[in-house]
Amino acid sequence: MKKTLFFFLTVSLTWAQNPNRKFKDFKSTTDGLAIEVTDGRYQIKVLSDQIIETSFIPNGETFNATSHATLLSSHNPKYTATDSGNELNLTTPRINVVITKQPFQIQYFTPTHERILSERLGYVKNDSTEVLDFNLTPDEKLYGGGARALGMNRRGNRLALYNRAHYGYETRAELMNFCIPVVLSSKQYLVHFDNPAIGHLDLDSQKNNSLQYETISGRKTYQVIVGATWPELIQNYTALTGRQPLPPRWVFGNFASRFGYRSQEEVEKTIQKFETDKIPVDAIILDLYWFGKTIKSTMGNLDWDKDTFPEPEKMMSDLNAKGVKTVLITEPFILTTSQKWQEAVDTKVLATRSNGTPAVWDFYFGNTGIVDVFKPEGKKWFWAVYKRLINQGMGGIWGDLGEPEVFPSGVMTAAGKADEVHNIYGHNWAKLIAEGYQNDFPKQRPFILMRAGYSGSQRFGMIPWSGDVNRTWGGLQSQMEIALQMGMQGLGYMHSDLGGFAGDYFDNELYLRWLQYGVFNPIFRPHAQDEVASEVARKDIVTKAKAKKAVELRYQLLPYNYTLAYENSTTGMPLMRPLFFEEPQNESLQTVADTYLWGKDFLIKPIVQPGITQTEVYFPKTANWYDFYTHKKFTGGKIATVKVTEEHIPTFVRANTLVPMTEVVQNTTLYHNNALNFIAYIDGKGMSERTLYFDDGMTPNANNLSQNHELLRANLNTDDKKITLTFSQNEPNSTPHVSEKKGSITMYNVAIKPKKVTQNAVNIPFQWDAKTKKLTFLYQHNQSKTSITIVR
């Protein structure tokens, strides 16, 4: 009966076919099926229970097995393949592929026979492009395509796949620096088109319920990925394309950055200003002027201008002694006027014309060539530059213009023509840096700030940012969407130039709102052009005092944020999360970007317009929520109007959870893992469990080395008679590593004064305020398990 029903569903729901494609034959392979049709052949591979890879190889072509995006290859896949007459069925525990022989079609189903996706015309060859064509259902919303400002639901757009900067963008940017060929559906599946060549991604722009991937050349390979939940879907996608290594801990601090610092003296005075005003700072970023006095004609020098930076090694050493890292901008362009042009030509590290001579062209900065990062000589030469700078004391690398900003189609690289490798240039640039660190500096975690990348760039430690956004309210308004979308596509550290970059628009309210949003961003990095100071320490007294509070809160949240980073490195879960992750069946949340979750326990509503005194917030129904500042309760599942003040943006905490915090430090070198405070909002009966992550902040792969990391399990359980907290070590595969934790615990909404508070059955002092209903006490955890009980 089930077989008959399944056949009926398959036939009755079949949509349009490619009438010219006829089934000829098939055979089983070690990991799937090989199917021969009249115009080519299909290879369908089971990569996992939840990932199917399908490739079409037209007649006359050989299969290109090289993927720049993916890591996962099939290994002992669990599946069955059956031939039932007019159908082939390839079945895993989580996804079923049905191949109808006549008329020919490939469809993907859940185990309960719900259609996930189906080829419509499948592969189509046009005059100059090749297309993979699919059916969509009328109701599904679509996400993906990289970094763009289009609205959360990107259905209806035809998206160019050609990494390109959009200078001064605001609320709409159809083409930006990260064009990722991936589509996510509100039906909780994902399609990744595994080919880097330029093209288009058409998300039903013709309103005919179609999804089309169009390219100039290359692989006709795509992966269909499913997941029972949004977190599981992201976890499966990042299992395929790789996960972000844990960044160094200092990356979660405050950056001093602008375009740009023109001298060693200016750099040193800027950091001194932060120290004098006691504003925390962990890094300073040097833009173009470290290698030349002018914007034009000097790019490609890749060495210090000793007139303006006479003692760079001493400067970086002195900064490092203060706990401040130095990050230097670099670009892949070597101008013909630069000091290294002849060296680059002689060592044959540049991309070429078809005749083998170095390719040159004009762009804003001058007449230029570009390093061929696909060529062994190019990689070796470029890494030697970085190795020298790291040995001098450079703490992080900024790779700019890596789209590449200008890359004529006629240019040739070792990996192919410019248009074939354009979208993976930044990807491979980051790769050569990551591999260089692994080989020559294996005890350092790299910081690689990049403006362009591709599917899977996160596995090289790439930290992306959203490009040259306009310094306007419109510029701020697009940032939540961009970051949320990129987090869903594997790049969880997407962030913006806080305060905005482009233009001379001067608005302290805008600056503060952007920084207040930045507190709950993966990276806190104010940056701007020279016209308006971006650094908190360079602001007027009033603005500086308000901005300083945002910086201080950023540092107080370090234990929470670092745990989010650990979670991202092990599961791919983004740090910023759309509300529909919390309520996947709530269709009204599927297009929301103006409110989001920071991790699991903070609900954030940025203020993106001037003069706002109140705003509406939807509170997910999975919990009740409390205002982080006023401690007012908001019931989950409802919309409420909340007051807005200039001191902060609306910030809410999930009830009945322990949120870890710490004391403010001048920089993260002064932070200690044992200084750990907690806050919690008590709300009736409830329980929660959170696992917190700690390590030395420096050692690569620390989460795989038991001697360098610690997992602390924090439980909270409330009922009518008592509140119980337990802290225990969570080391399932090794001997638990226990380090002392001590600090304060603050609980809000404790309505009745406790009779007593005990730690491991011993009474400890506490304070309870009858007016505010706030309970505070000190704790100390220095053994495998600590139990604290508040008796009501």
Side-chain angles (χ1 to χ4, degrees):
M1 181 64 184
K2 290 183 178 178
K3 187 172 182 180
T4 304
L5 175 61
F6 183 60
F7 179 79
F8 172 78
L9 285 169
T10 303
V11 173
S12 64
L13 294 178
T14 297
W15 294 326
Q17 318 292 323
N18 185 337
N20 299 319
R21 182 165 299 124
K22 308 295 183 184
F23 175 87
K24 293 178 67 176
D25 199 2
F26 84 98
K27 65 179 179 179
S28 294
T29 63
T30 57
D31 50 13
L33 293 172
I35 301 170
E36 186 180 358
V37 293
T38 49
D39 58 341
R41 66 190 190 279
Y42 281 92
Q43 291 181 185
I44 304 179
K45 295 174 62 177
V46 179
L47 299 186
S48 76
D49 288 355
Q50 301 175 90
I51 306 176
I52 300 292
E53 178 177 279
T54 300
S55 300
F56 182 78
I57 305 97
N59 289 333
E61 291 189 17
T62 58
F63 178 61
N64 177 6
T66 301
S67 171
H68 294 272
T70 66
L71 295 173
L72 192 64
S73 59
S74 57
H75 50 282
N76 300 319
K78 298 178 182 179
Y79 72 94
T80 59
T82 59
D83 182 357
S84 57
N86 194 43
E87 285 184 352
L88 301 175
N89 292 275
L90 185 66
T91 303
T92 81
R94 298 291 296 275
I95 186 170
N96 301 332
V97 187
V98 178
I99 301 98
T100 306
K101 297 177 183 178
Q102 182 61 37
F104 185 82
Q105 188 180 40
I106 299 177
Q107 302 178 83
Y108 304 85
F109 290 87
T110 69
T112 57
H113 313 316
E114 180 183 356
R115 190 197 308 270
I116 300 166
L117 184 71
S118 65
E119 289 194 357
R120 187 173 70 154
L121 299 177
Y123 171 78
V124 178
K125 173 68 174 175
N126 296 325
D127 290 339
S128 59
T129 62
E130 298 170 279
V131 177
L132 296 176
D133 182 276
F134 302 84
N135 291 299
L136 294 170
T137 58
D139 58 332
E140 59 189 307
K141 299 174 180 64
L142 301 179
Y143 315 99
R148 305 172 195 263
L150 299 169
M152 279 297 281
N153 180 14
R154 294 178 171 179
R155 186 166 181 164
N157 290 282
R158 186 169 187 265
L159 309 177
L161 297 174
Y162 188 88
N163 291 351
R164 176 175 288 169
H166 183 160
Y167 181 84
Y169 72 90
E170 293 189 342
T171 57
R172 187 169 181 86
E174 297 181 12
L175 184 60
M176 294 178 67
N177 313 71
F178 290 83
C179 296
I180 298 179
V182 65
V183 180
L184 300 94
S185 167
S186 58
K187 292 169 60 179
Q188 281 179 213
Y189 71 84
L190 179 154
V191 187
H192 174 249
F193 297 98
D194 195 354
N195 178 29
I198 67 172
H200 286 84
L201 197 57
D202 193 312
L203 308 183
D204 195 27
S205 69
Q206 298 177 38
K207 310 300 182 184
N208 60 353
N209 297 321
S210 68
L211 166 66
Q212 294 180 330
Y213 168 73
E214 182 180 12
T215 183
I216 61 167
S217 64
R219 286 156 53 95
K220 275 67 70 174
T221 295
Y222 64 93
Q223 294 94 19
V224 176
I225 306 173
V226 297
T229 64
W230 281 106
E232 185 180 72
L233 181 64
I234 304 304
Q235 184 169 351
N236 293 338
Y237 173 66
T238 54
L240 176 70
T241 58
R243 297 193 178 116
Q244 185 99 19
L246 193 63
R249 187 163 56 206
W250 62 264
V251 169
F252 298 94
N254 176 33
F255 288 74
S257 182
R258 68 155 64 185
F259 178 32
Y261 301 111
R262 298 172 186 265
S263 68
Q264 180 174 332
E265 181 183 16
E266 187 177 7
V267 169
E268 293 169 342
K269 285 184 176 180
T270 296
I271 295 303
Q272 182 59 54
K273 182 69 173 167
F274 277 90
E275 293 175 334
T276 299
D277 293 339
K278 293 183 170 55
I279 300 171
V281 65
D282 262 86
I284 187 164
I285 299 183
L286 276 60
D287 212 313
L288 299 175
Y289 300 112
W290 73 272
F291 55 72
K293 299 178 185 64
T294 60
I295 294 176
K296 298 184 179 182
S297 303
T298 61
M299 186 174 291
N301 286 347
L302 296 172
D303 205 350
W304 296 94
D305 183 335
K306 290 298 184 70
D307 291 337
T308 50
F309 291 87
E311 298 179 290
E313 293 183 27
K314 182 180 185 301
M315 178 191 75
M316 291 188 287
S317 177
D318 291 345
L319 290 173
N320 199 50
K322 295 180 176 184
V324 178
K325 305 295 183 183
T326 304
V327 180
L328 302 180
I329 193 172
T330 58
E331 300 87 3
F333 296 100
I334 311 298
L335 298 190
T336 57
T337 54
S338 72
Q339 297 167 6
K340 284 195 165 38
W341 171 254
Q342 195 57 49
E343 177 186 327
V345 172
D346 293 343
T347 52
K348 301 185 185 303
V349 302
L350 300 171
T352 67
R353 295 293 181 188
S354 57
N355 62 5
T357 61
V360 293
W361 59 89
D362 292 328
F363 79 140
Y364 175 79
F365 297 94
N367 185 250
T368 193
I370 193 170
V371 178
D372 187 346
V373 298
F374 305 96
K375 188 177 184 182
E377 294 87 346
K379 291 190 287 186
K380 181 180 179 181
W381 183 88
F382 215 173
W383 173 247
V385 171
Y386 290 121
K387 184 176 180 179
R388 169 176 51 81
L389 293 169
I390 295 167
N391 282 325
Q392 289 178 354
M394 178 178 67
I397 295 169
W398 175 8
D400 199 15
L401 312 183
E403 295 77 29
E405 182 160 300
V406 182
F407 201 27
S409 296
V411 176
M412 302 293 296
T413 75
K417 298 177 182 178
D419 287 350
E420 295 172 332
V421 301
H422 177 95
N423 289 338
I424 53 169
Y425 188 94
H427 179 81
N428 280 268
W429 185 11
K431 179 182 179 182
L432 80 85
I433 295 172
E435 291 176 345
Y437 267 97
Q438 291 168 3
N439 293 330
D440 294 330
F441 304 97
K443 295 184 179 181
Q444 292 187 37
R445 296 185 201 171
F447 172 71
I448 307 171
L449 181 67
M450 285 273 176
R451 200 174 78 170
Y454 178 64
S455 313
S457 289
Q458 67 274 1
R459 68 177 181 266
F460 305 128
M462 180 186 287
I463 305 289
W465 91 97
S466 62
D468 296 337
V469 59
N470 220 18
R471 189 189 291 146
T472 59
W473 290 98
L476 172 58
Q477 287 161 18
S478 61
Q479 295 310 306
M480 285 64 72
E481 174 201 341
I482 294 170
L484 290 169
Q485 290 267 357
M486 287 290 281
M488 293 168 64
Q489 297 171 67
L491 285 115
Y493 285 84
M494 173 56 78
H495 66 288
S496 63
D497 292 341
L498 299 183
F501 176 78
D504 57 1
Y505 184 68
F506 183 82
D507 186 332
N508 281 332
E509 183 186 6
L510 170 66
Y511 177 80
L512 289 170
R513 291 307 192 197
W514 215 316
L515 263 63
Q516 289 163 0
Y517 158 65
V519 172
F520 304 97
N521 261 206
I523 303 294
F524 189 93
R525 187 183 57 82
H527 181 69
Q529 291 179 333
D530 270 340
E531 290 86 350
V532 180
S534 57
E535 307 94 335
V536 174
R538 295 290 185 187
K539 290 297 182 178
D540 64 84
I541 294 175
V542 174
T543 304
K544 179 166 57 180
K546 295 174 182 176
K548 182 180 178 181
K549 290 181 179 179
V551 176
E552 290 175 338
L553 178 56
R554 176 73 177 184
Y555 279 77
Q556 288 177 289
L557 289 172
L558 185 58
Y560 182 87
N561 294 349
Y562 202 58
T563 295
L564 296 186
Y566 168 74
E567 185 181 5
N568 173 262
S569 72
T570 54
T571 69
M573 189 68 166
L575 290 77
M576 291 175 62
R577 304 165 188 179
L579 293 188
F580 59 77
F581 274 33
E582 196 81 358
E583 291 186 43
Q585 304 308 318
N586 188 340
E587 293 187 7
S588 67
L589 299 181
Q590 293 174 355
T591 58
V592 172
D594 64 354
T595 311
Y596 65 93
L597 292 162
W598 176 241
K600 187 173 181 63
D601 297 324
F602 279 94
L603 179 68
I604 307 300
K605 177 65 181 284
I607 299 302
V608 297
Q609 293 179 335
I612 297 297
T613 58
Q614 63 181 29
T615 187
E616 286 191 342
V617 177
Y618 174 75
F619 295 90
K621 66 180 181 181
T622 48
N624 291 328
W625 301 83
Y626 283 79
D627 191 300
F628 181 68
Y629 298 98
T630 68
H631 317 307
K632 180 180 177 180
K633 177 180 176 178
F634 292 90
T635 302
K638 295 184 178 180
I639 297 174
T641 300
V642 301
K643 293 182 179 180
V644 174
T645 69
E646 62 180 13
E647 284 77 17
H648 51 77
I649 59 175
T651 303
F652 308 92
V653 179
R654 186 187 298 268
N656 293 325
T657 60
L658 286 167
V659 176
M661 300 181 71
T662 192
E663 303 298 327
V664 176
V665 290
Q666 184 61 29
N667 58 67
T668 56
T669 62
L670 302 173
Y671 165 78
H672 297 287
N673 285 327
N674 66 339
L676 188 62
N677 302 325
F678 289 93
I679 65 168
Y681 292 86
I682 306 304
D683 189 70
K685 295 181 180 181
M687 62 181 298
S688 64
E689 179 179 303
R690 299 290 184 267
T691 298
L692 310 180
Y693 177 79
F694 306 90
D695 65 19
D696 62 11
M698 301 178 292
T699 306
N701 302 314
N703 54 340
N704 295 322
L705 302 173
S706 61
Q707 67 269 29
N708 287 320
H709 86 282
E710 177 186 2
L711 292 171
L712 178 70
R713 187 166 58 241
N715 290 67
L716 175 64
N717 197 334
T718 72
D719 60 34
D720 294 336
K721 295 182 178 180
K722 62 184 178 180
I723 303 168
T724 304
L725 295 77
T726 60
F727 301 115
S728 58
Q729 308 311 120
N730 186 13
E731 301 284 350
N733 299 318
S734 62
T735 302
H737 175 65
V738 180
S739 69
E740 182 182 54
K741 298 286 182 289
K742 59 182 180 180
S744 66
I745 296 177
T746 302
M747 293 184 170
Y748 298 96
N749 199 39
V750 180
I752 301 173
K753 182 178 181 180
K755 296 176 181 177
K756 61 179 179 179
V757 177
T758 65
Q759 177 172 302
N760 296 331
V762 176
N763 288 348
I764 60 174
F766 66 89
Q767 293 80 43
W768 178 79
D769 188 303
K771 182 177 180 180
T772 62
K773 311 302 181 186
K774 182 173 74 171
L775 172 68
T776 58
F777 54 89
L778 301 179
Y779 81 100
Q780 187 172 7
H781 168 71
N782 55 11
Q783 53 194 20
S784 60
K785 185 174 182 179
T786 298
S787 180
I788 297 171
T789 302
I790 298 102
V791 180
R792 302 203 189 213

